[in-house]
Amino acid sequence: MKSKVSIIGAGMTGSTTAHWLADLEICDVVLIDIVEGMPQGKALDLQEAMPVMGRDVHITGSNDYDATAGSDIVVITAGLARKPGMSRDDLMVANAKIVVSAAAETIKRSPEAIYVVLTNPLDIMTHLTMKVTGIDPYRVMGQAGILDSARMRAFVAMELGVSVENIHCYVLGGHGDEMVPLTRHSNVAGVPLEELIAADRLAEIVERTRYGGGEIVSLLKTGSAYYAPAVSLSQMVEAILKDKHLIVPASAYLQGEYGIRDIYFGVPVQLGRKGVEKVIEYKLSDSDINAFRKSAAGVAQMIAKVNQYNLGE
Ligand code: TXD
């Protein structure tokens, strides 16, 4: 039987994720949105692309959560996108209400599902999804680290003129301006980045990575990045469905790892059919540990803030 993946929010990232997933031919896809006709229209359009792509995949769109019943994975992208000058935090309360309802509606119909969240502010929305669904934290995770690391990899590739395949970068921490690009662990075909790029230039790449989302937002003017976020989501979905035991950075629930507890936070995780199989603990330098603590404090503060609101579960 084919796996079923439901994507809540058929906007830019949701529909682009459907596209990548359809190309991988690993699951049927359901697109859900509140805008009438839109998920149906996008799903039909994508379905009509399948003969050309040569992929036997069913893509359906709906405004009704019943279409999600029996999903193996629920991907949550529903929410408002950032506008220029708007921080990820500004979005928090509006998106929290949307994510709470998406999580509550889907878990009723897919009690066995694994959740991958994208909506910003990412670590907070992932936390809310875990709370509202009431499922084990290892079945709920957020996408940020693959994207942030891919941005850094792209910038390093541009800098060195080396294949992106040779470049391994690890950006951890909360998905915000306090994210932590680990230059010491990042490498090009095994050679540490710090040996290949001068310190001042590397600092610029780190800075560009941190504000990578904002750079795209200010260029696009309307909406935010979607190709790279969507392909990152689809890599996580693929790793889960294929039980790959793939190690990628993602937002996972920490229970003491890295000295951090009770928040979702960007760390290297091993992904398989059960969800987050393992949190990998790197040995961090003192400055990285300090950056981690600062970033984690920001996430904990936002959790405390969002808990003050009645989100109408
Ligand atoms: O790395 C990451 N975590 C991110 C996060 C990378 C890219 C985008 N990131 C965040 O994902 C972004 O800041 C937003 O919070 C979400 C979705 O971004 P996207 O670019 O896809 O936004 P769109 O195109 O506006 O799509 C959102 C859709 C839109 O079609 C709305 O009609 C729909 O969400 N929406 C809903 N669907 C279902 N149910 C409800 N209640 C609902 N409300 C809005």
Side-chain angles (χ1 to χ4, degrees), residues 247-303:
I247 297 172
V248 286
S251 183
Y253 195 61
L254 297 189
Q255 289 164 304
E257 298 90 345
Y258 294 100
I260 298 169
R261 193 167 276 287
D262 301 335
I263 58 165
Y264 271 87
F265 199 64
V267 288
V269 296
Q270 186 175 302
L271 293 185
R273 192 63 190 83
K274 294 198 171 86
V276 173
E277 299 174 326
K278 210 191 270 180
V279 169
I280 315 287
E281 287 198 71
Y282 287 170
K283 285 197 183 105
L284 296 179
S285 66
D286 286 348
S287 74
D288 288 338
I289 288 176
N290 287 339
F292 251 52
R293 294 220 171 108
K294 195 167 163 210
S295 181
V299 173
Q301 237 170 34
M302 284 208 288
I303 286 289

Side-chain angles (χ1 to χ4, degrees), residues 8-15 32-35 38 42 65 76-82 88 91 95 97-99 101-102 117-122 142-145 147-148 151 175 223-226 229-230:
I8 317 305
M12 297 312 288
T13 54
S15 56
I32 298 284
D33 206 283
I34 39 166
V35 179
M38 185 268 266
K42 288 191 177 183
Y65 277 103
I76 301 183
T77 74
L80 310 174
R82 263 201 302 168
R88 290 183 174 99
L91 288 175
N95 282 355
K97 291 186 176 153
I98 294 171
V99 167
S101 87
V117 179
L118 187 82
T119 307
N120 272 329
L122 191 263
Q143 189 300 120
L147 170 67
D148 296 329
R151 285 186 172 140
H175 182 57
S224 53
Y226 51 95

Side-chain angles (χ1 to χ4, degrees), residues 187-245:
N187 67 81
V188 179
V191 181
L193 216 50
E194 292 172 349
E195 288 177 23
L196 294 169
I197 302 177
D200 54 339
R201 193 63 201 123
L202 190 51
E204 283 168 19
I205 289 175
V206 162
E207 214 47 19
R208 190 171 178 195
T209 301
R210 277 213 179 99
Y211 295 97
E215 184 178 1
I216 306 267
V217 168
S218 45
L219 287 167
L220 290 179
K221 312 261 179 342
T222 55
S224 53
Y226 51 95
Y227 288 117
V231 79
S232 306
L233 275 177
S234 74
Q235 186 181 43
M236 292 174 78
V237 169
E238 183 186 26
I240 296 165
L241 291 180
K242 291 187 175 168
D243 199 21
K244 278 176 78 83
H245 316 298

